[in-house]
Amino acid sequence: MMLVGLVFVAVGLISACAAPVHYDVILRNGTIYDGSGSTPYVGDLAINGDQIAAIGDLGRAEGQIEIDVTGLAVAPGFINMMCWANESLIEDGRSQSDIRQGVTLEILGEGDSMGPLNQDMKDEMVRRQGDIVYDVEWTTLDEYLQYLEDRGVSPNVASFIGSATPRDFVIGQGDRPATAEEIEQMQAIVRTAMEDGALGVASALIYPPGSFADTGELVALATVAGEYDGMYISHVRGEGAHLLEAIGELLTIAREAEVRAEIYHLKASGQPNWPLFDEAVAMVENARAEGLEITADVYTYPASATGLNASMPPWVQEGGFEKSLERLADPAMRKRIAKEMGEASDDWENGYLGAGSPENILLVGFKSEELKPLTGMTLAEVAEMRGTGPKETAMDLILEDQSRIGTVYFSQSEEVLRRAIALPWVSFCSDAASLSPEGVFLKRNPHPRAYGSFARVLGKYSRDEKLLTLEEAIRKLAALPAANLKIDRRGLLREQFFADVVVFDPATIQDHATFAEPHQYATGMVHVFVNGVQVLADGEHTGATPGRVVRGPGWTGR
């Protein structure tokens, strides 16, 4: 018996003297929000390499780097469900405006994507470049994403293949139905993209040439995405008077293609159409009850941003942008365009009428140095300054700038937005580039959502307005989009998940960007890790660029 007792004592002494476990990084005493929506708790989180190694009370464990995060929230990195960082990440891979809000994964590809490209598409991409100039050194979508990773980017990147891209590749910019043979060619392009890791097929059905596709064409492309467990996601064909019909089309595509589907930036545009929102939500929830996997995302501001040419009928752009400029210069065509800009239509979503008046159309992005002084003025102000009507002024500006002109349309309701944010199946996006208040980015005024869309969820809508709990807000920023996209081992704080981790102060997280002064960083985000590498330390960017290409469930390169 004495021998047994001595053995136990010896084992105990050995255990007590055992060397502590070592990790690369330990975050100590933070309030852990694991992303699932469950109740937070105080604990430690350890990182080894690119993965989360341990979570809980890590006691005597030691970290090469140890950070005391007492009183701060520790959460999975946020996913930007739709951004326009395609070019901004080429210019500046640090992704400052998003990293400083906790975004660790940027999702690209609304409507059209950065590949695959034929020579005509490459030439058009070069022609349309504005302040950011670059060589098109890729052909496929996968090559573009790898190009970003090789250059160095701070966030992870992933992309849908835009439905307009295979159409442009096969058909060009013409407004006509695709033939059966052309649809097969487009399906083959989608199939290759899915095997390369695209997340699914994304459409933007108010913008040519994507708007020229009929429902059958979209079903055919979405069916291929579904074969690889991908998603169909859409800027639906109408967000105003035709919102219900447009959502009906998305539900039809989801049913017929047997695919998960998401509505980009769910909204009801134009004051007369705000009452349609509740019926739109009911349509989605009925479809979900039926068994369809339907979700949506929103940006957190009651104003949209797109081109000034969205105030003109789509036929103006048939054949490509150069053709649209010819029409805008033709006196007879100008009369027709002006007339249709002032008329409600069953055939297109009229951005000019949806804004209510030219006072609600803010001009924020010009290509021409001569026109850049107009940045921040409304269409009404420029028209008055020039002594021309607002419709004529819009056409003149596009002709002079040789671009679509970045424009903000004030056509939405804060109350509708709040209802959308609270929906449990809605995640978040910026619908903007990721910027910094320096260099070429200062040559135009972005929508403030580029700097504040995610901080606004945590500050304004969760902390200040109590619209949703902090744990629910984090679920909708991380785990929900990761699950919808079928992304591997991201969106939750779990051992062996990739170490995309954010640390912020719930009491101070805040957006600061405004429409008048949009180039202002959000504050309150303290630390951000991407794939285990710290890219934000004490609120300042470290310069690290550990971002990787994140691929969808159909990727065959595993």
Side-chain angles (χ1 to χ4, degrees), residues 114-117 122 138-146 192 196:
M114 298 295 275
L117 306 172
K122 289 185 178 184
W138 62 89
T139 298
T140 70
L141 178 58
D142 183 61
E143 288 169 352
Y144 162 75
L145 293 171
Q146 194 60 52
T192 297
D196 280 347

Side-chain angles (χ1 to χ4, degrees), residues 113-331:
S113 48
M114 298 295 275
L117 306 172
N118 57 32
Q119 192 57 51
D120 286 345
M121 295 165 74
K122 289 185 178 184
D123 293 344
E124 177 65 8
M125 186 175 286
V126 171
R127 191 206 64 75
R128 291 180 63 179
Q129 290 175 9
D131 298 322
I132 298 173
V133 178
Y134 53 92
D135 295 328
V136 183
E137 299 179 17
W138 62 89
T139 298
T140 70
L141 178 58
D142 183 61
E143 288 169 352
Y144 162 75
L145 293 171
Q146 194 60 52
Y147 166 83
L148 290 182
E149 181 180 317
D150 292 345
R151 285 176 64 87
V153 290
S154 294
N156 299 306
V157 291
S159 184
F160 287 86
I161 179 169
S163 66
T165 299
R167 171 172 256 270
D168 195 4
F169 196 102
V170 173
I171 296 175
Q173 299 278 326
D175 181 4
R176 65 170 177 80
T179 66
E181 182 180 354
E182 288 167 340
I183 287 177
E184 287 182 3
Q185 293 176 44
M186 288 189 273
Q187 286 180 307
I189 290 171
V190 172
R191 188 167 288 109
T192 297
M194 294 302 298
E195 292 178 357
D196 280 347
L199 299 169
V201 170
S203 66
L205 301 179
I206 70 167
Y207 304 116
S211 60
F212 301 149
D214 59 25
T215 304
E217 180 179 319
L218 297 170
V219 168
L221 300 187
T223 297
V224 175
E227 291 170 0
Y228 293 90
D229 203 18
M231 172 185 276
Y232 172 72
I233 187 167
S234 181
H235 179 141
V236 294
R237 211 176 289 271
E239 296 177 329
H242 306 297
L243 175 64
L244 303 183
E245 296 91 331
I247 290 178
E249 181 184 37
L250 177 131
L251 298 179
T252 295
I253 293 167
R255 285 191 189 95
E256 295 189 8
E258 298 182 347
V259 68
R260 302 187 316 284
E262 175 147 328
I263 302 164
Y264 275 134
H265 40 64
L266 177 65
K267 66 173 79 76
S269 292
Q271 187 169 356
N273 306 311
W274 295 346
L276 297 176
F277 183 78
D278 288 342
E279 191 171 347
V281 169
M283 290 176 68
V284 172
E285 294 192 331
N286 288 339
R288 286 169 58 85
E290 171 192 327
L292 292 180
E293 296 181 67
I294 310 297
T295 51
D297 53 72
V298 297
Y299 50 80
T300 54
Y301 296 82
S304 62
T306 184
L308 184 57
N309 57 359
S311 64
M312 301 170 191
W315 61 260
V316 176
Q317 298 180 65
E318 182 183 356
F321 188 75
E322 293 295 332
K323 290 291 185 182
S324 76
L325 295 178
E326 293 176 14
R327 295 183 181 105
L328 291 173
D330 183 293

Side-chain angles (χ1 to χ4, degrees), residues 80 82-93 95 97-98 106-109 114 132 144 148 153 155-157 430-435 441:
N80 184 349
M82 193 270 281
C83 77
W84 286 103
N86 311 46
E87 295 182 326
S88 64
L89 286 175
I90 296 174
E91 177 67 23
D92 184 354
S95 193
S97 62
D98 274 358
E106 303 280 13
I107 308 298
L108 309 170
M114 298 295 275
I132 298 173
Y144 162 75
L148 290 182
V153 290
N156 299 306
V157 291
S430 70
D431 196 3
S434 189
L435 312 172
F441 299 132

Side-chain angles (χ1 to χ4, degrees), residues 112 149 197 259 415 419 460 462 544:
D112 51 28
E149 181 180 317
V259 68
E415 179 53 36
R419 296 208 295 274
K460 175 180 172 63
S462 178

